[in-house]
Amino acid sequence: MELLLQQVMAGLANGAIYACVALAVVMIYQAIDHLNFAQGEMAMFSTFIAWQLMTWGVPYWVAFAITIVLSFIAGVLIDRVLFRPVQNAPILSQIVAFIALFSILNSSAGQIWDYTIKSFPTPFGTAPLFGSGMIDAHEAGMIGITLILLGFLYAFFRGTRLGLAMRAAAANPVSARLVGIRVGWMTALGWGMAAALGAIAGMLIAPVVFLEPNMMIGVLLYGFAGAVLGGLTSPLGAVVGGFAVGVLENLAGTFIPYVGRELKLTLALIMIVIVLMFRPNGLFGRMVVSRV
Amino acid sequence: MKQLTRRTILAAAPAALTLSVPFVSARAKDYGPGVTDKEIKLGNTGPYSGPASGYSPVPKSQVAYWKMINDQGGINGRMINFISYDDAYTPPKTVEMARKLVEDDKVFFIASPLGTPCNSAIWHYMNEKKVPQLFVATGATKWDDPKGHPWTIGWQPNYQSEGRIYAAYILKEKPGGKIGVLYQNDDFGKDYLKGVKDGLGDKASMVIVEASYETTDPTVDSQVVDMKAKGCDVFVNCGIPKFAAQAIRKAAEIQWTPLHVLSSIGNSVGATLKPAGLDNAKDLVSDFYLKDASDPKWKDDAGFKEWSAFMDKYIPDGDKLDQGFVAGASLAAMAAQVLKQCGDELTRENVMKQAANLHDITVPMLLPGIKADTSATDFAPLKQVQMAKFDGQRWNLFGDLIRGAIG
Amino acid sequence: MTTLRDEDIAVSAAVPTQRAARLRPTLRHAIVAVFVAIAFAIPFVASSFVMFQLSEVLIYGLAILGLNLLTGFNGQFSLGHSAFYGLGAYTAAILMHNYEVNYLWTLPAAGVVCFGVGFLFGLPALRLQNLYLALATFALATAMPQILKFHALENWTGGVQGLVVDQPDPPDFLSMIDGDQWLYYVTLVVVLLMFAAAATLVRSRTGRAIMAIRDNPIAAAAMGINTSLYKTLTFGVSALYTGVAGALSALAVAFVAPDSFTIFLSISLLVGLVIGGVGSIPGCLFGGLFVLYVPNIANSLSNGLAGAIYGVILLIVIFVMPAGAAGFVRAVIARLSRWRQNPTEGGYR
């Protein structure tokens, strides 16, 4: 029983990471209506920038703030420079543009900062909570920040005019333009926010997994799975999905005999696919009815 | 017309090879492909891109090292043209690049291709074409096979030997222990695991947790938690630096203090122990055959200073904490030794003969006392390691040099 | 208020539906004939190594065609084709390594196995759309290397060490050509036959049904097309094509290992598909060329930044040719034919 509890806790801790990333994934999806493959690499690059600033002596929270601002700007720039020219291209071409961005960021980070792992500080400290070391302060802080961001996003999208405008621009650019929404700027804003969110995710994740250029590849995979499981239209779903993936994966690895350890990832993904069989739009996704 | 008569040409290969060199000097030296009076062409492959790009320092440092050799006058008066291609750690690409090197660039031999699956993919080809596959940058056991594959020669102490050495150490220090092994779910990880279990012999049941991880896993925390929960009091940690560090840190976090044996892949002070927390790494035990460039112990060592100067001049923005740069420089130094021993008799046959004729050879970053030795029946140049214990600051070597049990 | 959501027509928007910009059939056939003739003649002038590379180009082209059938012609997004490629390769390798089957028989065997698996995968895939299907296929692609490494299957798959395959020798009556040339010819014949089959399929009623499902699934169903059947069959056929390509690659590379069939291969196939032109059959070969040669080009420019340069090249190509090479060619032809019809107006826009 104790092992179960420990694995659930460890799963929740991992799940916090996935939830963070899943939130960023859903964020960009809400803004531009498809998935950005390079999301993880953007987050990784932002985290490296924060690390570099701190290496140069900038205090943590200042570096944190600067990085978020820089990431926001970078997100907007990427939209304007990269995304705009292929906006009217087929969706698959856009996906290839994201793949290109992934490649560029990953390779550049490796060239600039090398592949050795780097410690990244955490503002929460690493003292274990609840004594027994099942979850430590940083992991708790990560969960807390994720939930705060979730709340913020929920309020933003549902409660503000700007959020509504963004959702409209993504869902139906033509109609949105007709009512006066500056679709171009909405998209850019969405990119900027997603980049900033990714930067936060990266800076929360790095203390746990160590900073290196390939840090986000596996994480993005799980984050994506979590976002899809939760339903790509729902930030709450993303967070729940992220945690669910973390716990699922840990339990599969520990308790399913014989295959569990080696096929952990496969089993987790299979379980998600099974869930999608029954709820094709994810756990919390809304079914969109289309009439012809 | 080239194609149709190729078979006849190949039938007369040895003589034809020497005649195919463009500028045949009047002295009619014996030259293989890719060799002239002034130049030797060598080939190499490695993962410069892709998910294994973390190993790119190994080929990168070789490229830089050969540049240094050229600046110092080359070898026996010849400059080395070292051509290194990216294979992104995908075997089909390695095959393509190796064929390019041999058939298109016409290199003399291929030095230190990196990765077990990559070398496995070209193993047959290199031996069929009789091109030396020198000092492969992997620790699999299979490369020591002079009878079956006379053109391929290994380099580092193989992983299974290391695993056995860990097993022997555990049997001595904690004969009744319960062992948990953390290993990467690929060839080198499984080799370590096999070595440990084979080394334990009929006590292999001491291993009660075999925890694998994939390089795409974010953390190995779950595996470590599992081991503690199942009552392990010995931990064999065969992770690459990122995961080894995570495991060390997590173990400390959950207050688990097993007999902690770290593999040579993840024992660098700067690259693994510091991020994990030097205090968390106290009393860790590991084995070494190369000097840890980040260990303060070697500060005044001549070999380290030589390597450090090489890095400063030829790879100034390279991260000196990355042991990949040490491995690559040592690989190149060993290959340079073989070329030196060839003198002016630069044929592929002689390269293999000299590679099988290394006696007491050292390179700057090998641990003191460790020598490379080969013979016609022994294609494993490095076989020795030495154990060390970490005191919170540096690794303290103890015991004698241990000779690997296999190969 | 409901409208057809953008993403429902997303993939169909990938294929330009203009029909006007096509060459006259006789001209098209002539061009194809010339290319085929060149393809058969190349081994007489090129080196063994180039033959090996061209074999790989053909193989990637075939694999991309498989993906094209599913994604380009049927609108089902797949990130999982590396799994079928690997499955085909391992089928061939296991049959040759463990059961000493002649290499030619491994090709249809790989095709059948992959058709079966693809069809079975297509069944649950019916319920998934776009990104959800992407995740499911992503799961398939990540599962494949794990399954291949799985210790219980090691006796067949060779586990992490992989399997060595003997490169096929030319038959005795053709002893003047070497292994690489023979392999090239075998590959060329197989690829030509399968491309021809695909072209015929696409132009048939079945092909139109498949494309109708992509363009407007609701209308297609309303017209009486059994969308479920066609979608799963297409999945199967698509997997068959990519599986045969995988089997051919096992013969060419003479080695299979789990590391050869990762998600990155799937991504390369997707890139090749888009660069060649989604929904274009000849475009697949251009995609194959791109997938093989551009990483080499990037590598030759800089070892350390090979990935970054590859990304930049990719971006430039996408900016210049958003609809892929086929789309670019189509646009050029359209412009030329407009210019021919209206010499004073057309070309000067």
Side-chain angles (χ1 to χ4, degrees):
Chain A
M1 190 55 210
E2 201 201 321
L3 178 62
L4 174 65
L5 191 60
Q6 281 179 334
Q7 288 295 354
V8 168
M9 295 303 294
L12 286 175
N14 268 1
I17 299 177
Y18 307 149
C20 244
V21 174
L23 206 55
V25 167
V26 166
M27 174 72 236
I28 191 82
Y29 188 76
Q30 298 255 303
I32 64 170
D33 216 39
H34 43 253
L35 179 70
N36 175 8
F37 270 120
Q39 189 88 27
E41 301 310 286
M42 285 165 63
M44 175 271 295
F45 207 89
S46 303
T47 314
F48 263 113
I49 296 200
W51 179 85
Q52 187 66 69
L53 288 172
M54 285 189 261
T55 310
W56 285 331
V58 178
Y60 180 86
W61 288 112
V62 178
F64 191 89
I66 295 178
T67 304
I68 293 186
V69 169
L70 285 178
S71 303
F72 185 90
I73 296 173
V76 172
L77 278 177
I78 288 177
D79 171 57
R80 298 259 117 192
V81 171
L82 206 100
F83 189 67
R84 196 48 50 88
V86 291
Q87 201 184 341
N88 296 317
I91 185 174
L92 288 173
S93 303
Q94 293 174 352
I95 291 179
V96 169
F98 294 144
I99 292 173
L101 183 62
F102 179 112
S103 205
I104 293 173
L105 288 174
N106 187 286
S107 179
S108 313
Q111 183 73 349
I112 301 174
W113 288 291
D114 209 79
Y115 292 96
T116 49
I117 60 176
K118 300 174 172 33
S119 317
F120 196 87
T122 161
F124 304 109
T126 50
L129 288 185
F130 314 130
S132 69
M134 281 199 285
I135 184 169
D136 68 23
H138 175 78
E139 285 157 358
M142 196 157 49
I143 296 176
I145 298 248
T146 306
L147 293 174
I148 292 175
L149 284 173
L150 171 64
F152 165 72
L153 279 181
Y154 191 81
F156 175 76
F157 276 121
R158 305 256 170 245
T160 67
R161 292 194 58 181
L162 190 56
L164 183 61
M166 270 181 68
R167 281 164 56 210
N172 200 329
V174 176
S175 302
R177 259 189 216 102
L178 289 176
V179 294
I181 295 175
R182 308 274 313 265
V183 170
W185 281 112
M186 290 299 109
T187 316
L189 181 64
W191 269 91
M193 284 177 69
L197 219 82
I200 297 177
M203 290 191 280
L204 288 176
I205 293 172
V208 180
V209 304
F210 292 117
L211 178 61
E212 44 106 16
N214 292 321
M215 146 177 115
M216 292 298 282
I217 293 183
V219 176
L220 183 65
L221 200 162
Y222 287 105
F224 178 36
V228 170
L229 176 64
L232 285 163
T233 50
S234 160
L236 173 64
V239 172
V240 170
F243 281 114
V245 168
V247 174
L248 256 176
E249 191 220 357
N250 262 12
L251 293 181
T254 317
F255 291 108
I256 296 185
Y258 200 55
V259 301
R261 183 51 72 190
E262 280 183 44
L263 300 183
K264 203 163 57 149
L265 173 56
T266 308
L267 287 173
L269 291 171
I270 289 177
M271 285 188 246
I272 291 172
V273 172
I274 292 177
V275 169
L276 287 178
M277 294 291 100
F278 295 104
R279 293 197 58 99
N281 281 322
L283 290 172
F284 291 85
R286 284 164 308 122
M287 182 78 77
V288 174
V289 176
S290 49
R291 296 203 208 113
V292 277
Chain B
M1 40 227 148
K2 233 186 330 186
Q3 280 17 30
L4 297 181
T5 55
R6 178 170 326 113
R7 291 209 156 193
T8 38
I9 291 183
L10 277 182
L17 280 177
T18 53
L19 291 174
S20 70
V21 174
F23 311 107
V24 179
S25 85
R27 280 175 289 166
K29 291 206 197 86
D30 224 0
Y31 283 165
V35 180
T36 68
D37 279 346
K38 294 281 183 291
E39 183 191 76
I40 303 179
K41 255 200 242 179
L42 300 180
N44 172 257
T45 61
Y48 287 96
S49 67
S53 45
Y55 294 118
S56 61
V58 178
K60 271 188 197 162
S61 48
Q62 289 176 64
V63 171
Y65 196 89
W66 289 107
K67 209 188 292 169
M68 175 179 84
I69 292 205
N70 284 344
D71 286 348
Q72 291 169 352
I75 298 196
N76 295 328
R78 292 180 186 81
M79 294 289 126
I80 311 297
N81 183 358
F82 190 74
I83 307 174
S84 179
Y85 289 137
D86 176 25
D87 69 355
Y89 210 82
T90 40
K93 204 63 171 169
T94 320
V95 171
E96 188 195 334
M97 291 299 114
R99 294 194 61 164
K100 184 159 196 247
L101 287 166
V102 170
E103 296 171 40
D104 215 27
D105 297 310
K106 299 204 180 22
V107 297
F108 188 34
F109 61 81
I110 298 188
S112 310
L114 191 143
T116 304
C118 303
N119 277 291
S120 299
I122 60 175
W123 203 20
H124 189 65
Y125 172 77
M126 295 293 281
N127 280 277
E128 211 193 348
K129 291 278 192 213
K130 300 195 170 57
V131 180
Q133 190 185 357
L134 219 60
F135 304 136
V136 295
T138 115
T141 320
K142 64 204 291 197
W143 314 119
D144 180 14
D145 180 23
K147 276 226 181 59
H149 294 86
W151 296 90
T152 309
I153 185 162
W155 185 66
Q156 66 203 72
N158 61 65
Y159 306 124
Q160 284 190 36
S161 293
E162 288 189 84
R164 288 187 182 218
I165 290 171
Y166 308 147
Y169 179 79
I170 294 169
L171 283 175
K172 199 165 64 126
E173 298 292 316
K174 226 180 181 117
K178 301 211 193 77
I179 306 176
V181 181
L182 179 71
Y183 66 99
Q184 189 159 304
N185 190 19
D186 66 8
D187 51 85
F188 96 83
K190 290 202 169 176
D191 256 2
Y192 268 122
L193 179 66
K194 181 171 192 309
V196 169
K197 286 165 88 170
D198 289 346
L200 292 170
D202 50 9
K203 293 245 183 81
S205 54
M206 280 167 76
V207 177
I208 60 173
V209 177
E210 294 176 13
S212 71
Y213 69 85
E214 304 277 353
T215 48
T216 48
D217 285 353
T219 72
V220 291
D221 289 357
S222 152
Q223 286 90 326
V224 174
V225 166
D226 201 28
M227 284 185 197
K228 180 184 180 194
K230 297 218 166 102
C232 293
D233 52 13
V234 180
F235 180 21
V236 181
N237 181 350
C238 304
I240 53 176
K242 171 169 154 165
F243 298 105
Q246 287 178 359
I248 295 171
R249 194 180 55 180
K250 188 69 183 175
E253 227 178 83
I254 59 177
Q255 284 145 9
W256 183 44
T257 47
L259 170 62
H260 195 147
V261 179
L262 195 57
S263 84
S264 59
I265 297 238
N267 64 12
S268 155
V269 172
T272 309
L273 301 187
K274 248 226 205 98
L278 291 177
D279 286 331
N280 299 332
K282 266 186 82 167
D283 293 336
L284 251 59
V285 171
S286 186
D287 68 317
F288 284 84
Y289 54 96
L290 290 172
K291 292 175 191 151
D292 176 358
S294 56
D295 191 329
K297 173 165 72 249
W298 303 114
K299 203 161 41 93
D300 296 315
D301 174 82
F304 171 76
K305 290 208 272 209
E306 208 183 308
W307 176 82
S308 191
F310 153 72
M311 287 293 289
D312 287 334
K313 181 151 181 232
Y314 289 93
I315 317 182
D317 44 4
D319 191 344
K320 283 210 193 136
L321 298 177
D322 194 330
Q323 282 295 99
F325 290 117
V326 175
S330 308
L331 282 163
M334 197 73 77
Q337 172 64 30
V338 169
L339 274 178
K340 260 196 224 115
Q341 279 180 211
C342 285
D344 276 335
E345 195 190 327
L346 289 161
T347 62
R348 287 170 170 166
E349 287 77 9
N350 197 22
V351 166
M352 287 319 295
K353 189 151 148 252
Q354 296 308 322
N357 190 24
L358 298 172
H359 299 292
D360 284 349
I361 304 294
T362 60
V363 295
M365 284 305 271
L366 275 178
L367 226 52
I370 293 192
K371 311 257 180 11
D373 264 291
T374 56
S375 77
T377 52
D378 170 18
F379 270 24
L382 296 174
K383 294 176 267 295
Q384 301 151 304
V385 298
Q386 190 168 13
M387 305 284 287
K389 201 172 200 160
F390 192 68
D391 65 5
Q393 289 274 329
R394 58 186 64 189
W395 287 100
N396 296 319
L397 298 164
F398 64 86
D400 301 317
L401 291 178
I402 309 177
R403 201 188 143 98
I406 315 172
Chain C
M1 54 138 239
T2 51
T3 50
L4 202 57
R5 281 205 322 159
D6 285 320
E7 58 174 307
D8 294 329
I9 53 172
V11 180
S12 73
V15 182
T17 48
Q18 59 204 97
R19 284 264 175 260
R22 301 201 76 179
L23 298 173
R24 281 202 318 274
T26 43
L27 187 54
R28 248 190 301 125
H29 290 148
I31 293 180
V32 169
V34 166
F35 271 110
V36 172
I38 293 177
F40 271 98
I42 291 184
F44 291 99
V45 293
S47 70
S48 259
F49 172 63
V50 173
M51 294 331 303
F52 172 76
Q53 284 188 312
L54 288 178
S55 298
E56 294 238 282
V57 168
L58 289 172
I59 289 170
Y60 283 132
L62 185 63
I64 291 171
L65 178 58
L67 183 60
N68 208 351
L69 288 173
L70 187 66
T71 301
F73 288 99
N74 195 231
Q76 297 189 71
F77 186 47
S78 169
L79 278 174
H81 270 57
S82 60
F84 298 123
Y85 192 88
L87 185 60
Y90 264 87
T91 306
I94 291 174
L95 285 174
M96 287 177 68
H97 192 264
N98 295 351
Y99 300 105
E100 318 246 316
V101 172
N102 177 272
Y103 64 95
L104 285 174
W105 287 114
T106 63
L107 299 178
V112 165
V113 169
C114 289
F115 178 84
V117 175
F119 187 88
L120 287 176
F121 196 83
L123 289 171
L126 288 171
R127 298 207 56 169
L128 301 173
Q129 296 288 341
N130 293 313
L131 281 171
Y132 302 95
L133 181 59
L135 177 70
T137 50
F138 195 93
L140 184 63
T142 6
M144 191 45 119
Q146 284 211 317
I147 294 173
L148 291 171
K149 289 190 277 190
F150 188 47
H151 64 272
L153 298 173
E154 253 169 24
N155 287 334
W156 285 284
T157 63
V160 292
Q161 300 288 344
L163 289 174
V164 173
V165 168
D166 289 325
Q167 207 191 37
D169 284 321
D172 293 326
F173 65 87
L174 283 172
S175 60
M176 79 288 283
I177 65 174
D178 67 22
D180 289 310
Q181 294 167 299
W182 173 242
L183 190 76
Y184 171 77
Y185 279 125
V186 170
T187 307
L188 182 62
V189 167
V190 171
V191 166
L192 282 175
L193 287 174
M194 292 186 79
F195 266 71
T200 316
L201 175 71
V202 160
R203 270 181 221 126
S204 70
R205 280 191 60 182
T206 315
R208 285 200 293 277
I210 289 173
M211 287 189 276
I213 293 172
R214 169 199 68 199
D215 290 333
N216 199 326
I218 298 170
M223 285 196 295
I225 296 175
N226 187 344
T227 49
S228 307
L229 180 66
Y230 277 108
K231 282 175 85 166
T232 40
L233 279 177
T234 310
F235 223 110
V237 171
S238 154
L240 185 153
Y241 268 71
T242 307
V244 171
L248 285 168
S249 83
L251 299 177
V253 175
F255 180 73
V256 292
D259 285 301
S260 309
F261 308 113
T262 63
I263 182 68
F264 292 98
L265 176 62
S266 265
I267 293 177
S268 292
L269 292 178
L270 183 67
V271 168
L273 171 67
V274 173
I275 299 287
V278 179
S280 153
I281 293 182
C284 299
L285 289 170
F286 186 81
L289 267 173
F290 189 90
V291 164
L292 188 78
Y293 281 110
V294 172
N296 295 354
I297 296 173
N299 190 219
S300 65
L301 291 173
S302 158
N303 265 339
L305 284 171
I309 295 177
Y310 175 75
V312 168
I313 295 177
L314 207 52
L315 280 177
I316 294 174
V317 172
I318 284 292
F319 285 172
V320 168
M321 307 195 300
F328 186 74
V329 167
R330 253 188 228 119
V332 166
I333 294 173
R335 182 153 292 203
L336 279 177
S337 64
R338 266 207 307 275
W339 186 66
R340 264 191 332 129
Q341 286 162 18
N342 297 314
T344 51
E345 295 178 38
Y348 298 98
R349 292 272 143 101

